[in-house]
Amino acid sequence: MTDEAATAAISTAWDQDRRYLLAVASRILANPGEAEDVVQDAFARLAVQRVEEIRDLRAWLVVVVRRLALDRLGSAQRRLSVPMEGDPGGVVADPADRVTLDDDVRRALGVVLDRLTPAERTSFLLHDVFGLPFDAVGDLVGRTPAACRQLASRARRSIRERDEAVPTEVDGATRAVVARFAAACAGGDLVGLMTVLDPSVEGDATVDGRHVGFAEGAEAVAERVLFFLGPRRGYVLELIPLEDGVGLLASRRGDPTAVLRIDVADGLVHHLHAVVLPG
């Protein structure tokens, strides 16, 4: 790609995606001026990248905007120990490369969210950071939308007032199971996916407000999951902390599409519930 073509691609992204990126940053920071600074910073970082090596500029920008916004929000409490280096490309050259990115985002989230209760953290993260409607958040965590709205509000107030709370950490074994689940989805590995599923695993979903069951048993659930979340679908899967464990956020081009709550016991997935977000 020539310099002229790269400049044109960045200009197009600015025209088409800037408003969406401002909304992403504003959800986290609740400050239009700071959100504008974060978006401009993200584009400045994009300008020094090899644009031709980034398959999806919008998704790349969403990842960087979220990370910068979380870093800025967290710095009000204490400065992150992980340097940004002015070049996010060294961390994530492509949004599909999630391994290193997950580590860095987890550090940022730890700084911002470690003062919240699990319930507050879940509602804040799913609504304010990833933009899920409170109806979907409530369905996912088993609370009313009004309760989730109150929890998110309390979380914002806690962060800004520097209240302290003791979080409930997810054990490493559970996180590892969910990570293997996500890796098997990303690789289209049916056998690998079945190895993390309990033989009697059940799966269900909420679609357009309706609760539906979609499969029972390891093979049937694995086939169904790969049909929806396999590599041909083009989803990026991110591990996210939930009130009672670990979940997965499925997004495409930076837009959240579905959230999976994954229940793990004895090293295996016993139940999964997907909330499909309105298109």
Side-chain angles (χ1 to χ4, degrees):
M1 181 182 292
T2 65
D3 290 343
E4 292 78 6
T7 300
I10 295 173
S11 178
T12 298
W14 176 271
D15 292 338
Q16 295 181 354
D17 301 325
R18 178 173 171 273
R19 181 176 297 180
Y20 177 79
L21 295 168
L22 281 170
V24 170
S26 295
R27 278 201 303 265
I28 301 172
L29 295 168
N31 183 310
E34 290 192 352
E36 179 71 44
D37 289 345
V38 162
V39 172
Q40 291 184 8
D41 193 357
F43 274 96
R45 292 163 186 254
L46 177 61
V48 298
Q49 301 304 306
R50 296 180 63 87
V51 175
E52 68 275 11
E53 295 180 357
I54 301 175
R55 289 185 294 180
D56 190 329
L57 290 186
R58 186 173 192 256
W60 188 95
L61 285 163
V62 168
V63 167
V64 174
V65 163
R66 284 177 179 157
R67 182 180 171 202
L68 291 172
L70 288 167
D71 186 18
R72 182 173 291 230
L73 185 61
S75 68
Q77 319 303 325
R78 62 180 182 270
R79 183 64 60 183
L80 283 175
S81 61
V82 180
M84 294 294 288
E85 296 290 337
D87 177 9
V91 176
V92 52
D94 189 288
D97 180 8
R98 303 304 304 176
V99 176
T100 304
L101 177 66
D102 282 340
D103 289 339
D104 284 329
V105 170
R106 192 175 300 120
R107 291 188 186 99
L109 289 175
V111 170
V112 177
L113 305 180
D114 63 359
R115 63 197 66 254
L116 306 179
T117 66
E120 291 170 345
R121 185 171 57 217
T122 292
S123 294
F124 174 81
L125 182 69
L126 293 181
H127 180 266
D128 287 50
V129 178
F130 292 111
L132 276 64
F134 281 116
D135 287 346
V137 177
D139 182 81
L140 189 69
V141 302
R143 294 174 181 246
T144 66
C148 292
R149 188 186 304 275
Q150 186 176 30
L151 286 165
S153 176
R154 196 161 66 210
R156 296 183 209 107
R157 187 166 58 250
S158 178
I159 289 172
R160 294 188 176 99
E161 294 177 355
R162 305 188 183 189
D163 293 339
E164 295 295 336
V166 178
T168 300
E169 296 298 332
V170 177
D171 67 273
T174 296
R175 188 179 295 277
V177 170
V178 178
R180 288 167 56 200
F181 180 99
C185 291
D189 183 359
L190 178 64
V191 174
L193 185 56
M194 290 177 61
T195 62
V196 301
L197 300 178
D198 183 85
S200 59
V201 62
E202 296 181 354
D204 52 52
T206 299
V207 183
D208 294 330
R210 295 180 296 106
H211 185 82
V212 295
F214 63 77
E216 296 181 9
E219 184 173 3
V221 168
E223 289 176 347
R224 197 68 169 168
V225 167
L226 288 183
F227 177 80
F228 287 107
L229 297 178
R232 293 185 180 182
R233 296 287 184 169
Y235 287 111
V236 172
L237 299 178
E238 301 178 67
L239 274 70
I240 55 174
L242 296 180
E243 178 179 345
D244 53 355
V246 180
L248 285 175
L249 176 76
S251 59
R252 181 186 286 150
R253 286 182 51 79
D255 289 324
T257 302
V259 180
L260 283 77
R261 186 184 68 229
I262 300 176
D263 298 328
V264 177
D266 300 322
L268 295 173
V269 176
H270 284 249
H271 182 265
L272 59 90
H273 176 64
V275 176
V276 180
L277 306 179

